[in-house]
Amino acid sequence: MKRRRQCPAIPTALVGVDRWRCQRLVEHDGPHEASKSDRSAWHYAWAEGAASIFDYKMLHGTVRFRAPFWTPRRRQRAVEVAMSAVSAAALWWAFSLYAVCVFLLADLHASIRRSHFVDVGRFTAGVYRNRRDNFPPGFARYGPEAGAPRSGLTVTIGRLSLIACALLPRAEWADFQARQNARKDGAQ
């Protein structure tokens, strides 16, 4: 986990509490200390009952703070994984391993939030989210026109599309490779 330096403290009267807090880490409890940089020779330290933001001491060294492991996002993800594991175990107990595999694939499919693609030569395969008004037909095409040549297959399940297609036609791929090689040779 990345270690971060603490921020200068602010009076929490601005946020509605009667003690000092760090600016970035609002839930931070404990000593309020801040370094100007990661390799600072000095750091600021506020006393526990400081009455002013200007009541600090200059001390030697850099202060670092490790963010808490259980952030709200991590807690939510841990609960989701635990529920999926319990559901998979119940399916295995009640039905079969095939039911577990189908459930886990459907769960993985539903959890996709951004596009993922794998390119192999002139071909690509991946998954991406569709807009609500743009559900493509069963074939991927080389262009946006309806009459453009087909480049591969698209399967749409809900708002996700699975696609496997060629990036360029064979004739254009040879020209593209030649241009790429010429560009590499020119850069060297």
Side-chain angles (χ1 to χ4, degrees), residues 20 46-52 55:
W20 289 87
W46 285 268
E48 188 63 36
S52 168
D55 288 345

Side-chain angles (χ1 to χ4, degrees), residues 24-188:
R24 277 190 223 153
L25 306 165
V26 177
E27 295 301 320
H28 170 67
D29 291 325
H32 294 280
E33 300 174 314
S35 303
K36 287 187 175 179
S37 70
D38 292 337
R39 295 190 178 112
S40 180
W42 294 88
H43 69 272
Y44 301 97
W46 285 268
E48 188 63 36
S52 168
I53 197 165
F54 301 108
D55 288 345
Y56 61 84
K57 297 179 199 171
M58 294 291 288
L59 302 175
H60 289 285
T62 301
V63 177
R64 294 182 182 272
F65 176 76
R66 183 176 290 275
F69 181 76
W70 287 109
T71 60
R73 177 69 185 124
R74 283 189 180 162
R75 273 190 229 123
Q76 177 187 359
R77 186 69 185 133
V79 168
E80 290 173 1
V81 168
M83 290 178 66
S84 294
V86 168
S87 301
L91 284 172
W92 195 349
W93 176 76
F95 296 105
S96 68
L97 185 59
Y98 297 114
V100 172
C101 292
V102 169
F103 169 75
L104 291 177
L105 284 174
D107 190 42
L108 178 66
H109 179 75
S111 69
I112 292 174
R113 300 283 183 259
R114 58 189 174 99
S115 301
H116 300 280
F117 285 93
V118 175
D119 295 339
V120 179
R122 77 179 184 105
F123 298 97
T124 189
V127 61
Y128 63 95
R129 292 180 64 92
N130 285 318
R131 293 190 328 249
R132 291 184 188 272
D133 61 344
N134 183 22
F135 290 103
F139 292 100
R141 300 192 178 271
Y142 285 117
E145 306 86 26
R150 295 177 181 168
S151 67
L153 295 174
T154 302
V155 176
T156 302
I157 303 170
R159 290 197 50 208
L160 292 175
S161 285
L162 307 168
I163 188 168
C165 64
L167 295 170
L168 292 170
R170 239 181 236 149
E172 291 180 30
W173 183 255
D175 294 339
F176 176 76
Q177 289 287 53
R179 285 194 309 267
Q180 289 291 96
N181 291 336
R183 200 174 290 149
K184 285 180 186 175
D185 292 340
Q188 294 174 2

